[in-house]
Structure formats: C-alpha cells, structure tokens
Amino acid sequence: MATFAKPENALKRAEELINVGQKQAALQALHDLITSKRYRAWQKTLEKIMFKYVELCVDMRRGRFAKDGLIQYRIVCQQVNVSSLEEVIKHFMQLSSERAEQARNQAQALEDALDVEDLEADKRPEDLMLSYVSGEKGKERSDREVVTPWFKFLWETYRTVLEILRNNSKLEALYAMTAHRAFQFCKQYKRTTEFRRLCEIIRNHLANLNKYRDQRDRPDLSAPESLHLYLDTRVEQLKMATELGLWQEAFRSVEDIHGLMSMVKKSPKPSTMVIYYSKLTEIFWMSNSHLYHAYAWLKLFTLQKSYNKNLSQKDLQFIASSVLLAALAVTPYDHSYGSSHLELENEKERNLRMTSLISFIVDPKREGREVLSRASLLSELVSKGVMSCVSQEVKDLYHLLENEFFPLDLASKVQPLLAKISKVGGKLISASSLPDVHLSQYVPALEKLCTLRVLQQVSQVYQSMKIEKLSMMIPFFDFSVMEKISVDAVKYNFIAMRIDHLKGTVHFGTMDIESDSLSSHLAILADSLNKARGLIYPSVRKQSKLGDSWLGLADIVDKEHKRLLARKSIIEKRKEEHERQMLEMEREEESKRLKLQKITEEAEQKRLASEYTRREEQRIRREIEERELQEAQALLLETEKRTKKKGKRPVLEGEKVTKQVLIEMALSEQIKERQEMEKKLHKLRKTVDHFEHAKMDEQAPLVDQAYQQRLQDERILHESEQLKEIELSRQHHAGDLLEKNRLSRMLPNKVIFQSKIVGHREAEYSRLKNEREERINQHVTMRKRDREIKRKLLFYLKSEEERLTKLQEEEEARKREEAERKKREEAERKAKLDEIAERQRQREREIEEKKERERKEALLVRSSEPVARLADPVPASRPVEPVVASAAAVTNAPAPGKYVPKFRRSEPPAAPPSESSNDRWSRSDDRPPQANDRWRNDDRRSLGGGGGSRLSSSSSTWSSSRNRG
C-alpha cells in the first residue's frame, strides 16, 4: 500500500502511471489513498481525485472499486460538503451512460458495416470460418462482446448509487433522479428482469427506512418535499411497469404507493391521484376485475370533474361514458355462489386489498360485496350525476339493458348502439394524464351482458324455445359461445335453463309452483288487480264514517291534546322529583363510599409501603450474601486448580474458609507466580542473546563470500542476454524487410478497394444527408404551422380573458357606486332623523320649563293665601279669587297649539278637597324648593299639577259660600 504525504502527490502519481499505460496501478494507488484513514478531512483535492478515480473505474469497468471509493468518500463529506458527493456521483453516472451508449453505437456501426451488396467479397476467410463454426450472427456476436459488458456495468452503476444514497436525507433528489434514470434504462432496452430487481431494491430501501427511522440523517417522510419525491418515484415505477407489460409488478407498485400514502396520512396532489387511478383502471382491466375497474373509473371522473378546470364538455362526456360502460361490463351475478369456504376466504382477502387501493373503507368482518357491487355502483352513478354527462348512445344502451323488457328484439336494438360506441375514442385533450379512451374495449363484455339479459327475459316469458330461433335472436355469438355463457350463468344461479341437443330445444326454469319467477309474477298480478278493483269500486262506508266523525273531530282533538299535556306535565314533575331524590341519595352514598375508600386506600398504602421496604431490605441482604458466597467459591476453585497444576494441595477447611482468607491466599499465590516467571524470562533472555551473537559471528565471512560470487554470476548473465537481444533484433529487421517487399505488390489493389469503399460511403452519405434535410424541412414546416395555431389560440384566449376582466371590473365599479349611493342616502336619512329628534327634544324642554314656571307661580299664590286670610279675611278673599281661578284655569286648561301628554288628556276631574287637606298641602309646601334636588323637583312637578286643581276647586267653593251668605 503506497503512502503519500499529500493527496496531490497521489493524483500526480496516478496521472504518470496513466500516461505510461498502467491504469491498474493508478487505480490501486488512488484506491489506497481514498480508503486510507489519514485523509478523512474533506478538501478540494479529494474531489479532483474522486473524479479521476471514477473515470478510471469506468474505463476499466471496475464496479467494486467504484462502490468502495464512493462509500469512503461519502463518510468523508457527509457532514461537511455533501454537494461534492452529489457532483461525483452525477459524473460517475454520466460517464457510465456515455460509454454504454458509445458501445451500443459501435455495435450498430459494426452491423451497418456488414450491410453491403457483395457479402463474400467483404468477408475475410477467417470471418467466414468463424461464422460457420459458431453459427452466430454478427449483431448477436457484437452485442455479446461489446454491448453486454457495458450494459452490465451501467446496471451495476445504478445499483451502487442507489445503495449509497438510500439513507441520505440531503441527497433525496439525487436518489429520485437515479431511480428515474434506471427506470428509463429498463424501458429503453426492454430489461424486464432488471426492472423487477430494481423495484425490489427500492421497496427494501423504503422498508429499512421505516424500520430504522430514528437514526441520524434518515429522510423524514412526513416532510412534503420528501413525500413528493418518494411518490414521484413510485408513480414513475408504475408507469414503466405498465409500459413494459409487467402487470404483477404494476400491482405491487400500486400497493407501494397506497402504503406510502397510508403511512404519512397525507393526501397527495390531484395530478398524482389521476395517474394512480388511471393505471389502476388498466391493471384491473387486465386482471378481469371489472367491478374494481369501474370503481377506479368513477374515482377518475370525480377527480377530473372537481380539480380539472380546463376539462371540456367532450372530454367529460368521454370519461362519463367510460364510467358507465365499465359499470355495465361487470357481470350481473355473484361469482362466489357455490364456492368453498377456502375460496371465499381467499376471495375476501383479495377484495379487501383491492378495495383499499381505490380508497374505500370496508369492514373486514363483512363482505366487501355488500358495499362494492354492481347495483350499488349503478345507483352511485345516478346520485353523483354521471348519467347526465354521458352520450346519448350510451344512455340509450343503459336503459335498454337495465330498465327495458324486450325479450325478442333486445339484441337487435342493442347491436346498432354497440356499433356506434365501438367507433368512439381518442386522446383526451384537456386531460393529458389520462390514457386514450377507447370505448370499443367494452363491446365484448356488453355483448355478453346483452346475451345474459336476453336469456333472463326469455326465461321469464317462455318455458321452451328452439335453438335456431334463440340463435337468431342473439346475433353476437355462435350457439357454442352462447352455450358457454349460459352454462356459466346457470352455475352461478343467474338463470335456470336446460339445453336438449337431441330435440334441438332450450328449456327455461322449472315447473314448480314455488318458483321465484312465478311467485313474483303472481304477487305483481295480485297487487295490480287489487289496485284496479279499488279504483273501480271505492269504499263508500269508510267515506260516510269519516263524514260523520268530521264535525266533532276538532273538539275531540283539542280536548285530547290538553289532557295529554296535563298528563305529561304531571309525569314530568313526578320524574323530576324522583330524580332529585335519587340524586340526593346517590350523592350521600357516594360521599360515604369515597370516605370509606379513602380510609381503606390510605391503610393499604401504608401496609404496602412497609411491606415493600421490608422485602427490599431482605432482598438486598440476600443478594449480598449470595454474591459473597459465589465469589468465595470462585476463588476457592481457582486456588484449587492452581495448586493442583503445581502438584500441591491447598491447606483448606472446605466451606469454612472465608472470603478474606481466600483473597489473601490468591494474592500471595499470584505474587509468587509473577516472581518465578520474571526469573525464568531473565534467564531465557540471556541464553537467546548469547546464541544470536554467536550466529552472527559465524555468518559474517560466509555472507561476504556469497555476495561476491553473486556479483560475478550476474555480470556474466547480463553480457550473454545482451548478445542474444542484439542477434534477435537483426533477425527481426531482416524479416520485416522481406515482408515489406512481399506486401508492396498489393498496394494498387488496396488503393482500388479503398476508393470503391469511399465512393460507396460518399453516395450513402449524400443520400442520408438529403433525406435528413427533407425531414428537417418537413419538421420546420410543421413547427411553423403549430406555432401559428398556438399563437392564434393564445391571442383568442388573451382577448377573451381581457373582455371578461373588463366586464368584471365594470360590474365591480357599478357595485361600488351603488354601495356609495346607499351610504350617502343612509347618512342623509340619519341626519334628518337626528334633526327631527332634536326638534322634538327642544319642544319637550320648552313644555317642561313652562310647566315648571306655572307650578312655581301656583306655589307662590298658595303660600301668600294664609297670610292674607289672617290679616283681613273678607277683603283679601276677593282679589285672590280671580288670581287663584286664573292660575287654576291656566293649569288645567291646555293652551291652544301646545303639547299635552296623553295621560293629561284622559285624566278625570279631581274631587274638591276639604279644608284639612288644604291646610295639609299648604303646610307641606311652606319650604322653598331646592333647585339641585332632582327627585324633589320631580315630586313637586307632579304634585303641582294636582295641587293647582285642588286649589282652584276649593277657592271657587269658598267664594260661592260667601256670596250666598
């Protein structure tokens, strides 16, 4: 193993070895440097060394060396510069792909070189002999010798890179790109075996990733980027499997995608799900699982209708027609009828797997057929609006096969519809991820369904029929094929029929009166006759009874309703009372139980704690004693073995020896043994030293003599070899001159042959050049036309979008103006209402102030009246009376045009108060009113109105009595 002070020295050494043609030595030198533990710190020179290293590995097809070097380089730059590893791996894969393609082109060139007019003239005698002996064609031989080794190396390259990158979270994109390139390699060269191995490798990588997900630098599948990359890889795997025709591997790929989606609990993009379900339709169709094929088409229809905004009406009609025809193609009977228990269990497991793939959750304890069936699928198509999107021919076909009853001419009506449907198909323009829709693939299944429907309907009408007539009614198949279909239908209890070839007849059903078909017909006939009789002879008695009871029905219902409500309220009250009592009892019992439980638990905890402490102490003491006993026994055994080897017997007393005594004895024995061993080694070292010195003294003259003899022999050998080489060179030179003179005669023939070959190749080159120019011109013309169509389409779309945008902006501006106008009107209306309210409040304030003034004046008049009465009763009464009367009149009589409250308008006239009440009110009003007392002002205000009326009435009564007197 070579060692270098610097990595640059190793690179220079490798280049020198490459220049002299020693690539193996250069590769070994670089391999030793890369795998050395001295250079574990990343630097730019190591990247250059890795580029040169992978170039040498590719040139020499050394896959094992490349894998070892890349693994070591991954360890170096994993945590420092992972992008360097990515560049090296990309360079490695690019070199391998280029060399494999170069080998393929070389083999193609060899094959083309053999394609000449005169085969015998171009072939050499040894080539003819080899071809006759081996019996192998030129292309097969060239592939085996040139192409196959490079393809093997390229495949090994992909496996190596995937193995290196499988657990690296920083290079997930490179891992996905490598997997895609490996898929393309398998597709391009039709490598089915390698494709299966590649799928298994990727599947194992994902399983190991989930198994050891807690390790460092592992990819996290919960991250959206990682999930997207892994899903894209599995989707590409699914595409390649279907294109290569590996349907079993495609089904496993679908299960991988479903497992990945279930693992991360996230729904992928709709575009990914469209590809997933489109491939599922192909897989289920190839496996004759027509029911699940139809459900996958239904999922595709739902996804396209929900997420594809560019879906045209024509493409939607194609997809809906495919969904309906796929549902009709399902056989109308259950294949599990009459199967054994083992077959039913296997079928149930298979159905559960396929049901989970199309995202239907089915209870495994129940049969999947109870949920996923032909009848439920057709009803679901109607509920989800698929029937409204299908074409008219498909809709008519559905009604004929499922709803109509034409036993004699059903097939003749279905046949032209199937002919129209078989011509429909093509590529979906607005759904590019979907495969080509060809409705003709459902025609055989629909013909079989039509045959079954004809047999079913005929069996309900006829008991027997001629075979020739039945064959004329079903033009799709010969009678032999029809017989196979009918046998299958009879096997699964769909129809009941028997074929009598001796008489040439077909017998339907049985003659039993309890037959299902006959009993159903009789029940339908009885219901129809009963309805007809009810329409012809209606029941008169029921009508009369209803008319008699109609009059008192409302009262009876009302009374019954009230009685039920009362009874319900009583029952509710009783229930509430009973529940309250029960709750109280339960609460008391629960509190008692909790107290008792708490006391019991505390006592139990104390007991368990003390028991646990006691047991722990006993266990620790027991373990210590057992460990000391075991150590003592081990020391005793060791001491006995050591003493037996020396031929001595230990002076021990068996089990009575303690551990401390045994340790002291063992230590003393070890010290004695070590001292004796040191003495022996010292004596042996002296003996060996003397022996070696004696040997060296004896060997010195013999070594000198042997060296001189060898020098003399090598000198003689060198001179003889040099003379032989000179003589051999002279002989070779003379032979070469003779060969040159012999071959110079063939020079004109060589020139003629060369000119012929060159002329033929120039003509071929000119022809290929002209063809290529014509193809390029055609391609340019087509590109121009496509560009023009695309430009016009883009211009139309842009103008239409601008028009729609303009209309939308105008509509938004109109809405904004309408909203602003409404805001202004609302503000004006609010301002007017505020102004009206302010005027109303102003008017009320004026009225209140006026009332307050009138009340104060009335109070002043009433307070001055007693003083005037004491001084001069008779003269003072005359001038006061008009004032009091006028005040009362002012108080009671409302002024014209002024606001009067509603309660004042309807208030009756007050009764005349007595003198005692007059005195009481006058005494209570002697105090002056306080302006800041709000409650007193209100009371005074209310009392003022009543006081004024009483005052006026009393004064008027008093004046009238004076006049009478």
Side-chain angles (χ1 to χ4, degrees), residues 835-944:
E835 185 178 356
I836 292 170
E838 184 63 30
R839 289 177 183 175
Q840 184 71 22
R841 287 194 296 272
Q842 184 67 26
R843 189 180 296 112
E844 290 178 356
R845 281 198 300 271
E846 290 176 358
I847 292 170
E848 291 294 333
E849 289 175 359
K850 188 174 180 180
K851 287 181 179 181
E852 184 67 24
R853 286 198 304 271
E854 291 174 353
R855 188 181 64 80
K856 288 181 180 180
E857 290 175 358
L859 290 174
L860 290 174
V861 171
R862 289 172 58 189
S863 60
S864 61
E865 182 181 354
V867 179
R869 190 184 306 166
L870 291 173
D872 192 5
V874 176
S877 62
R878 292 175 182 173
V880 173
E881 185 180 359
V883 176
V884 175
S886 62
V890 169
T891 306
N892 293 324
K898 291 188 177 180
Y899 175 77
V900 179
K902 188 175 181 181
F903 69 91
R904 290 293 180 92
R905 298 177 206 160
S906 59
E907 187 177 18
S914 61
E915 290 185 4
S916 61
S917 63
N918 232 345
D919 294 341
R920 180 168 55 87
W921 283 110
S922 62
R923 284 196 303 270
S924 62
D925 293 333
D926 286 344
R927 290 176 295 177
Q930 298 179 4
N932 57 354
D933 193 353
R934 181 167 57 88
W935 300 104
R936 290 186 61 82
N937 289 338
D938 294 340
D939 296 340
R940 294 301 181 104
R941 191 180 300 128
S942 61
L943 291 173

Side-chain angles (χ1 to χ4, degrees), residues 765-781:
Y765 172 74
S766 61
R767 182 180 63 81
L768 293 175
K769 184 179 179 183
N770 293 331
E771 291 177 357
R772 182 174 177 274
E773 289 177 354
E774 290 178 0
R775 286 198 305 271
I776 290 172
N777 292 332
Q778 292 177 0
H779 187 63
V780 168
T781 306

